[in-house]
Each structure stands twice: as structure tokens, then as C-alpha cells.
Amino acid sequence: MAAPTDVGRRLSDAGGPSTAGGSSTASTVPSPAPEGSDRAADPGSRPGPHKVVVLALDGVYPFELGIPHRVLGSAEGRYEVLSASVDGRPVRTSSDLTVTPGHGPEALAEADTVVIPPYPISRASAAAPDPRALAALSRVRPGTRLVSICAGAFLLAAAGFLDGRRATTHWALSDWFRELFPRVELDAGVLFVDHGDVLTSAGAASGIDICLHLVRRDHGSEVANRVARLCVAPPYRDGGQAQYIERTLPHASGTGTGPTRDWALQRLELPLSLNDLAAHAAMSTRTFARRFQEETGLSPGRWLTQQRLRRARHLLESSDLPVERVAHEVGFATATSLRRHLAEEAGVVPSAYRRTFRASRR
């Protein structure tokens, strides 16, 4: 099979969508349609509703498969949403059910927007996607808008549509994505990226975010807000997927700086300095900092900040402590310092983080 970037060139040479055009917008708030796009379909340029075709691939996740139908289908008749499979036959989903799309790949040739929901990804399947899926994409005409949800970005990347562009996918798949598609500028911290003609989104619920964004971009905030209310969903979400990323750090060992890390974890509320850590390890500050970096991949200061943020996130999720008390408990000098560090890491302030992760306990 050809390299991923060659596939996209073949599709363009055969009359399929090109990879040119579009300004890059990564956002979770209302924004106008990007300028400079030469592929994005204009919802008002053709009579009748804007035709959206959702391509169901083998193993498709049912929840994400249904999002475009539910969200775009609630936009007061402005969209006609259809489903298609790569061969016109039923598709086995990731659950214990099979779906029968109403159309085959020929529907993509008539689409104004094509949406690719996620399907199970492995290293092998990501590097060599189903040839039938690539053949289906070759039917897409110039001017068609392409949208991926979660792992659907892997198919767009394999077809060459994301080369030289900024894109996103589920944060847990980011290492594989970067390894396979080095020509794509992956941003795993946002909910979606809008290039005008090609849009990519993160996992699961971000499919709702990007579909509401399409409505907002095509028809304005008033229509999008009505759709959001019908779907009982927020019109847009604060922050990005960075607040959902599970960050793992190396476990402490019984040698090197490991015992000092264990010691520090029991004293995060204290203003620990590099001198304090090095003295506990019975090392010079230079030797300690070098060994710490070798063992954890982080500087001692950065490691302490990450550990304090992990503790702070836990307290915000599991307790009703005021933000000022949380900051004190984890070793930040002030609540302002906690807000700044959490906003840098997760894209949200403590109060917004708590609302997100404690909503079910109200």
C-alpha cells in the first residue's frame, strides 16, 4: 500500500478533494467561518438542505455514529443527514449490534459534508486503513467539507487530507498519531480544530461540540443555541480536552531520587526548594537535578508543580474545600497561583474544573 501522503495526492489527482486552503482555528467558543478556505461547502450556495453523509466504518462506535443525526438533524431542517457504508452492506459496530446504513459509498459523491465517526484503532489498522474506506473517500467531490470525530482523524490523515495542517484526535491516541503522521501538527489539548474545509475533533462528546460548532458557523449562534437546548447540551464548553488527560509520572524507586520523591509527596503543602530535596537525597543540588531529570524526564520544580496539580484536581473533584484552602493544602502560595497553573495545564480555572467533575454530585 502507498504511503499515507501518497494516498491524498492520488485522490486529488483523481478529482477528489485537495488539501489546500483554510485558516486554522482551534476553539471551543463561537467563531465565524474561517476565511481563505477553497474547499468548504457554503450551506446557502445550493437549494435545499445541506447534505451530510456519515461514513460508518467497520467497528464504528454507535454513540458517535448517531451524533451528527441527533445534533445536525435538530437544526430545523437545515441539514439532511444520511448514513453510508463503504460497500452498501450492514456494518458491525463496536457493541453487540449491527447497523444497516441507508446508502453505499456513492452517497459521498453527493455530500456537502462528510463526517467520519470513530472506529477501533490499532497501530496496524491505523498505518494501513481499509482500502474500501480510502476508495469511498475518493468519491468525495471538490468543495465537500470533511469532519472527523475522535479516531476518524486517522483515516483523513492516511488519505493525506491533514498534511501540513493542525489537527486533533483523542488524547490517548496522540502518540500513535504523531508516529504515523509526522506531517500533521497534532494538538491533543483542544476539543476540535477548524480549518474551514477540514475539521477534526477529540473523543466522544467532542463530536457534539464540533457538530454544534458547524451549526453555529453555518447558521449563527441563535440557531446553534436552540439546537443545544433541544439536545440538552452546553452550546460550547470551557477549556479543551487537556482537562481530561490522565497524566502518569514515573513511579518512585528505592534508589536514586526515588526516596526523595516519596518524601516530597508526603509534604507537598510545604514550600519545598531544590536545596531541601537535594539535602534529603544527600546530594549536591547539581547532581540531584541531573539525576532527577534522568529518572523522571522533568526538572524537580516541574515535577513538584505537576504533583501539586494532581493533588489539587483530586481535592476539587472529591471535596468542597474552598479554592484558597485547596491551594494551601497542595503547596501553592496563593489561590491565584493555583488558578494560573491549572489554567496552563488544563485550560480551565479551578471553579470551572470543579463544576465539570462534580456536577453529578450536586
Side-chain angles (χ1 to χ4, degrees):
M1 168 176 183
T5 52
D6 293 333
V7 175
R9 296 191 185 98
R10 280 211 312 274
L11 296 184
S12 296
D13 293 342
S18 69
T19 58
S23 61
S24 175
T25 303
S27 176
T28 58
V29 299
S31 60
E35 298 179 356
S37 171
D38 61 0
R39 291 190 58 254
D42 178 0
S45 63
R46 286 178 290 277
H50 183 96
K51 182 174 289 187
V52 179
V53 176
V54 186
L55 182 60
L57 302 176
D58 187 47
V60 66
Y61 291 97
F63 174 71
E64 289 90 331
L65 174 63
I67 288 173
H69 296 268
R70 186 67 181 90
V71 177
L72 300 179
S74 298
E76 303 162 349
R78 290 173 167 84
Y79 300 91
E80 177 188 9
V81 187
L82 311 174
S83 294
S85 63
V86 296
D87 54 10
R89 303 179 66 180
V91 175
R92 183 73 179 176
T93 72
S94 63
S95 303
D96 60 343
L97 54 91
T98 298
V99 297
T100 304
H103 303 271
E106 68 282 351
L108 276 69
E110 300 299 322
D112 300 311
T113 294
V114 170
V115 181
I116 303 172
Y119 49 94
I121 284 287
S122 66
R123 285 180 183 267
S125 66
D130 186 343
R132 299 173 303 167
L134 294 173
L137 280 183
S138 71
R139 295 172 177 261
V140 175
R141 61 185 174 178
T144 302
R145 182 167 58 189
L146 301 175
V147 180
S148 68
I149 301 174
C150 191
F154 279 79
L155 182 61
L156 290 185
F161 290 112
L162 301 181
D163 283 358
R165 295 175 182 261
R166 189 162 170 242
T168 194
T169 189
H170 193 291
W171 62 266
L173 302 173
S174 59
D175 289 343
W176 288 1
F177 193 97
R178 290 190 178 97
E179 177 185 329
L180 291 168
F181 307 113
R183 296 191 180 190
V184 182
E185 182 187 347
L186 185 71
D187 186 345
V190 296
L191 293 175
F192 59 82
V193 175
D194 181 349
H195 268 282
D197 57 336
V198 179
L199 298 89
T200 54
S201 64
S206 66
I208 299 174
D209 297 312
I210 201 167
C211 285
L212 286 172
H213 174 71
L214 290 176
V215 177
R216 184 179 302 110
R217 209 184 83 172
D218 293 346
H219 302 289
S221 294
E222 186 175 345
V223 175
N225 289 344
R226 287 201 298 268
V227 171
R229 290 188 180 96
L230 285 171
C231 296
V232 196
Y236 58 89
R237 286 191 286 163
D238 293 330
Q241 65 171 324
Q243 61 187 303
Y244 303 98
I245 297 175
E246 182 179 3
R247 303 186 185 277
T248 57
L249 294 172
H251 294 292
S253 64
T255 60
T257 64
T260 298
R261 277 179 274 148
D262 283 335
W263 175 81
L265 286 174
Q266 304 303 316
R267 296 164 175 79
L268 286 178
E269 73 281 3
L270 300 177
L272 299 172
S273 67
L274 177 59
N275 287 336
D276 295 329
L277 299 174
H280 180 271
M283 300 179 190
S284 69
T285 55
R286 176 176 295 183
T287 298
F288 179 82
R290 175 176 54 79
R291 290 191 181 179
F292 198 100
Q293 181 79 34
E294 290 172 352
E295 293 174 18
T296 68
L298 300 168
S299 69
R302 182 57 185 159
W303 181 86
L304 274 173
T305 297
Q306 287 198 359
Q307 294 290 2
R308 284 173 169 145
L309 285 172
R310 292 181 75 188
R311 182 76 57 81
R313 288 165 74 151
H314 171 72
L315 290 175
L316 290 170
E317 293 176 26
S318 62
S319 77
D320 294 315
L321 292 175
V323 173
E324 291 76 9
R325 178 66 181 276
V326 171
H328 174 76
E329 291 289 330
V330 303
F332 286 110
T334 64
T336 300
S337 181
L338 170 59
R339 291 187 185 98
R340 176 171 60 83
H341 285 293
L342 187 62
E344 289 175 356
E345 181 189 70
V348 291
V349 295
S351 57
Y353 185 89
R354 172 170 271 165
R355 283 196 302 270
T356 297
F357 288 96
R358 283 181 60 81
S360 63
R361 301 180 63 172
R362 290 174 183 169

